[in-house]
Amino acid sequence: MDPSTTMIVFCVSFLLPFGLGAILDEEAGSTYQHQHNSLPPFVDVLPPGPFYDVERSANITALVDQPAKLNCRVNKIGNRTVSWLRHRDTHLLTVGPYTYTSDQRFRALHTSGSEDWALTVRFAQVRDSGMYECQVSTTPPMRHYIWLSVVEPKTTIYGGGDIFINKGSNINLTCVVDYTPRPPSYVIWKHNSNVITYDSERGGVSVVTEKGSRTTSNLLVRGASLKDSGIYSCNPSSASLAKVLVHILNGEHPEAMQHGGHSPHHVSTILVSTALTILIALK
């Protein structure tokens, strides 16, 4: 054999375990890494049969009179069927793509080839709130529970009820509007039955409103006087109004006002004195 040929054969034989073997190992590692990365981040090996993707089958909060959609994602379902049941009355709502309830607001929603099996509710109502079951027709059946909360628009004034302000201090009220389909187009503040205007002779009145998924409106009345006492209401366009009763104090204590002009200590003294008088009279 030619010496140069012999040298080439020797080099190939020597380098094969290192060069070609390394290349094959690198390709295999790349293939394994690709397969591994294709798995969901929370598992290393996929279960053999159907399983729920709980991250995409979560609890739902919906607004009253708006559509609600409960999604149930089932991987590797095969030829099995998904059904939706309402837990409060164990009422069967849907089986596969078919609806089995007379309430026409409920509908099954599924696209062929998709892993998502949804239950939709048109014009959701507060009474629709509760637990719903997404069931897969395995033996025994697999069950996943989703909670639907249907909420109404809500208006709140912080510190609601009775608010006590010292004369000469500022009245600072914050109104919060939650659960509206869209931000209210306006928020009106009233003192008793009168709309609060910012160009009135009184002056010192300002309102700052920030609209969004949660709308806040802040009313500031500087240098409160006794005539600023009364009922303050916050009335947004897309929710019910909220009220608070503001008391302007002129040296009084709030406890005395809440007890009709008598402090708790004074009330207790009167009760003890009355009890002693009755006991003496009975002797």
Side-chain angles (χ1 to χ4, degrees):
M1 180 179 296
D2 184 82
S4 61
T5 304
T6 303
M7 181 60 68
I8 293 172
V9 171
F10 172 78
C11 291
V12 171
S13 301
F14 180 78
L15 295 174
L16 181 59
F18 301 96
L20 184 57
I23 293 172
L24 292 175
D25 289 344
E26 183 180 353
E27 291 181 353
S30 176
T31 301
Y32 170 79
Q33 187 67 27
H34 173 73
Q35 292 175 345
H36 182 76
N37 289 341
S38 67
L39 297 177
F42 50 88
V43 294
D44 289 326
V45 179
L46 292 175
F51 64 95
Y52 295 105
D53 186 338
V54 295
E55 292 185 355
R56 294 170 177 82
S57 310
N59 297 336
I60 295 295
T61 298
L63 300 178
V64 69
D65 290 328
Q66 300 296 310
K69 180 181 178 181
L70 289 73
N71 189 62
C72 184
R73 178 169 291 188
V74 185
N75 300 111
K76 290 191 173 183
I77 191 171
N79 60 355
R80 298 169 182 87
T81 303
V82 171
S83 303
W84 280 97
L85 297 89
R86 184 170 55 207
H87 239 238
R88 88 166 173 262
D89 53 7
T90 63
H91 186 62
L92 179 64
L93 300 173
T94 69
V95 176
Y98 304 104
T99 303
Y100 285 87
T101 177
S102 58
D103 190 337
Q104 298 183 358
R105 298 178 304 123
F106 289 86
R107 284 289 182 272
L109 181 62
H110 174 69
T111 302
S112 180
S114 170
E115 296 175 327
D116 293 316
W117 300 78
L119 174 69
T120 62
V121 189
R122 293 188 304 161
F123 309 112
Q125 301 298 310
V126 174
R127 68 176 183 275
D128 297 322
S129 298
M131 191 77 75
Y132 291 79
E133 178 182 321
C134 172
Q135 186 181 113
V136 180
S137 61
T138 54
T139 305
M142 292 172 51
R143 295 179 171 88
H144 177 69
Y145 302 101
I146 295 177
W147 185 272
L148 170 64
S149 298
V150 182
V151 294
E152 295 182 284
K154 181 180 179 182
T155 308
T156 306
I157 298 178
Y158 288 155
D162 291 86
I163 296 177
F164 299 90
I165 306 290
N166 289 322
K167 180 182 177 181
S169 299
N170 295 335
I171 300 174
N172 195 341
L173 302 177
T174 299
C175 175
V176 178
V177 186
D178 287 308
Y179 310 130
T180 54
R182 61 191 62 83
S185 57
Y186 60 82
V187 177
I188 295 176
W189 283 92
K190 289 185 178 182
H191 176 216
N192 296 323
S193 58
N194 301 316
V195 175
I196 296 176
T197 58
Y198 322 124
D199 56 354
S200 65
E201 294 181 359
R202 184 202 185 285
V205 177
S206 63
V207 172
V208 177
T209 300
E210 296 182 0
K211 298 180 181 180
S213 56
R214 161 175 274 198
T215 294
T216 61
S217 183
N218 180 260
L219 170 67
L220 178 62
V221 180
R222 295 178 177 86
S225 64
L226 296 179
K227 65 180 181 181
D228 291 318
S229 294
I231 298 173
Y232 286 79
S233 61
C234 169
N235 188 6
S237 61
S238 55
S240 58
L241 62 82
K243 297 180 179 180
V244 293
L245 179 57
V246 174
H247 305 269
I248 306 301
L249 306 180
N250 191 20
E252 310 97 328
H253 292 287
E255 294 86 352
M257 297 185 67
Q258 291 178 355
H259 290 276
H262 298 289
S263 67
H265 175 73
H266 190 191
V267 172
S268 299
T269 303
I270 293 174
L271 291 175
V272 171
S273 176
T274 303
L276 289 174
T277 301
I278 295 173
L279 287 175
I280 293 171
L282 292 175
K283 288 184 178 180

